[in-house]
Amino acid sequence: ISWSSQGRGFFVGRYTRDMWHSPPPDLDGFGRQMLRLYGSDDNYSRLQRAETLGRESGGYTAMEVGLAWLLHRDLPIIPIVGPKAPDEMASCINALSLELTDEDVLSLDLRD
């Protein structure tokens, strides 16, 4: 079971690369913890690739690409999602329609 499959907001762009290098003074403790856990050059590269792949695949969001990536793994993974609004649930459902190629997965894994 994949906990925090959507990166607690990382893949919606809530925590930018600029914030990682220079956190805003009013960023709360949770935000600082998120930057510490998810902020890395590799994760920001994954985010950029997910944004690009989503646009090129028909307008999917990076979060939808990330969820589709989990669903296209060889392992039997069950992502736990936590939508707080109907549109967030619709976005999670939309991720089910995104078909990723092996090349897409390798790119998101930074193995291309």
Side-chain angles (χ1 to χ4, degrees):
I1 296 178
S2 173
W3 179 255
S4 193
S5 60
Q6 297 160 307
R8 303 283 309 245
F10 184 84
F11 281 95
V12 297
R14 186 173 298 149
Y15 305 99
T16 66
R17 189 181 293 264
D18 290 340
M19 290 172 71
W20 178 44
H21 292 298
S22 181
D26 61 342
L27 186 64
D28 64 12
F30 179 80
R32 289 182 187 282
Q33 179 76 345
M34 292 305 299
L35 287 173
R36 188 182 69 75
L37 293 173
Y38 289 99
S40 70
D41 285 326
D42 282 351
N43 279 343
Y44 283 108
S45 292
R46 286 182 182 97
L47 175 58
Q48 183 177 27
R49 289 177 183 212
E51 290 170 340
T52 300
L53 178 61
R55 267 192 314 278
E56 292 173 353
S57 298
Y60 291 91
T61 66
M63 192 285 308
E64 292 167 341
V65 171
L67 189 52
W69 174 84
L70 281 172
L71 296 169
H72 283 83
R73 307 305 295 176
D74 289 335
L75 299 171
I77 295 176
I78 303 167
I80 296 175
V81 297
K84 295 178 182 172
D87 62 322
E88 291 177 4
M89 184 63 180
S91 179
C92 292
I93 292 169
N94 196 40
L96 296 172
S97 66
L98 177 56
E99 292 292 328
L100 299 179
T101 66
D102 290 342
E103 292 80 20
D104 294 335
V105 172
L106 287 174
S107 175
L108 293 168
D109 286 344
L110 304 180
R111 295 189 294 150
D112 59 346

